[in-house]
Amino acid sequence: MPRFFIDHSPKKQTVITGEDGKHIAKSLRMQIGEPLTLCDGKGTDYHGIITSIEQNQITVTISDSCPTVAEPTATVTLYQSLPKSDKMDTVVQKAIEMGVTRIVPVLSMRCISRPDEKTAQKKTQRWQKIAIEAAKQSERGVLPTVTAIMDFATAMRQAAAKSTVLFFYEGGGESLQGLIQKTCSAYSIFIGPEGGFSPEEVALAMDLGAKKTTLGPRILRTETAPIAALSAIMLLTDNM
């Protein structure tokens, strides 16, 4: 069933306009009487029927609502070191599908990609659009956010102050099975760039209480590691 995010709790009669209205009318070519789902981005789904189509203005009559079943019980923030080329597009899309709540692009010491301020803003806007589309496709109940690019030290201090930090390190670490606790509901995961984390970054992470962990003896690509990590976390927290 087509799914669209709205920024409010819908009324009995809700009007959809803008890009979503155009998408419903022009791209999907939906008709009066067809069902769709609206989500408030806070975990509630609203089921409705299209009752009017006037150009790109769509009126939906809401029949019922229910909690979104697709949201994981664990809140996970991905701190992803910037990869080369357009690999971040894939990371954002797949991480949203896997259940991540928030994505923070990180500029770590060994990142090859180092966009200027204007380019960084455009990239962030693009990533947020990808996040929205991925959230629709995977029937998420919370609309994940992609923040502005952050330097490593700031990102690590932010994460350490709010959650359990899992620092995925190619040099080895503890097994995830021993670090994931079902009583813990908030995790932050750090993934390095193509060249890995620097010794200084590893030291800072340890000083701030991050837990060094591993995805096994194989060295994964920077765009593969977050998907593997999220898959393991969702499994270990009973969300798969």
Side-chain angles (χ1 to χ4, degrees), residues 68-78 95-103 140-142 144 162-164 166 176 179-189 229-240:
T68 306
V69 298
E71 280 306 305
T73 56
T75 298
V76 183
T77 298
L78 168 61
I96 299 300
E97 291 178 20
M98 289 306 306
V100 80
T101 302
R102 181 168 168 259
I103 299 175
R140 295 288 302 273
V142 173
K162 296 180 179 180
S163 60
T164 296
L166 301 175
L176 270 177
L179 295 176
I180 297 296
Q181 303 294 324
K182 293 182 179 180
T183 55
C184 179
S185 60
Y187 293 94
S188 292
I189 64 176
L230 286 165
S231 299
I233 291 170
M234 291 301 159
L235 181 62
L236 292 170
T237 56
D238 294 333
N239 283 293
M240 286 189 77

Side-chain angles (χ1 to χ4, degrees), residues 105-125:
V106 176
L107 193 62
S108 54
M109 290 181 67
R110 294 177 178 172
C111 284
I112 296 172
S113 176
R114 310 189 82 83
D116 58 32
E117 184 176 354
K118 184 176 181 180
T119 302
Q121 289 178 349
K122 289 182 178 180
K123 284 181 177 290
T124 302
Q125 291 171 357

Side-chain angles (χ1 to χ4, degrees), residues 13 25 134:
Q13 300 287 328

Side-chain angles (χ1 to χ4, degrees), residues 198-214:
S198 70
E200 294 85 355
E201 289 168 336
V202 176
L204 176 61
M206 298 303 101
D207 287 344
L208 291 173
K211 300 180 185 299
K212 192 187 297 182
T213 186
T214 176

Side-chain angles (χ1 to χ4, degrees), residues 44-201:
T44 301
D45 286 350
Y46 298 83
H47 304 124
I49 300 292
I50 296 175
T51 51
S52 173
I53 300 176
E54 296 181 10
Q55 294 186 341
N56 298 333
Q57 182 170 294
I58 314 298
T59 300
V60 178
T61 298
I62 303 299
S63 57
D64 63 84
S65 64
C66 63
T68 306
V69 298
E71 280 306 305
T73 56
T75 298
V76 183
T77 298
L78 168 61
Y79 289 83
Q80 172 70 45
S81 297
L82 287 179
K84 296 185 294 184
S85 187
D86 59 354
K87 294 177 182 178
M88 191 67 177
D89 293 5
T90 301
V91 170
V92 170
Q93 182 187 68
K94 301 309 177 187
I96 299 300
E97 291 178 20
M98 289 306 306
V100 80
T101 302
R102 181 168 168 259
I103 299 175
V104 181
V106 176
L107 193 62
S108 54
M109 290 181 67
R110 294 177 178 172
C111 284
I112 296 172
S113 176
R114 310 189 82 83
D116 58 32
E117 184 176 354
K118 184 176 181 180
T119 302
Q121 289 178 349
K122 289 182 178 180
K123 284 181 177 290
T124 302
Q125 291 171 357
R126 172 178 170 77
W127 295 331
Q128 187 60 58
K129 288 181 180 179
I130 292 172
I132 292 171
E133 291 306 313
K136 291 178 182 177
Q137 183 275 324
S138 55
E139 299 189 353
R140 295 288 302 273
V142 173
L143 187 57
T145 57
V146 182
T147 74
I149 296 172
M150 193 177 297
D151 68 84
F152 178 86
T154 301
M156 181 56 70
R157 291 190 177 96
Q158 178 191 86
K162 296 180 179 180
S163 60
T164 296
V165 178
L166 301 175
F167 188 78
F168 287 89
Y169 182 49
E170 66 276 8
E174 295 182 63
S175 169
L176 270 177
Q177 284 92 330
L179 295 176
I180 297 296
Q181 303 294 324
K182 293 182 179 180
T183 55
C184 179
S185 60
Y187 293 94
S188 292
I189 64 176
F190 276 74
I191 304 294
E194 286 84 357
F197 289 115
S198 70
E200 294 85 355
E201 289 168 336

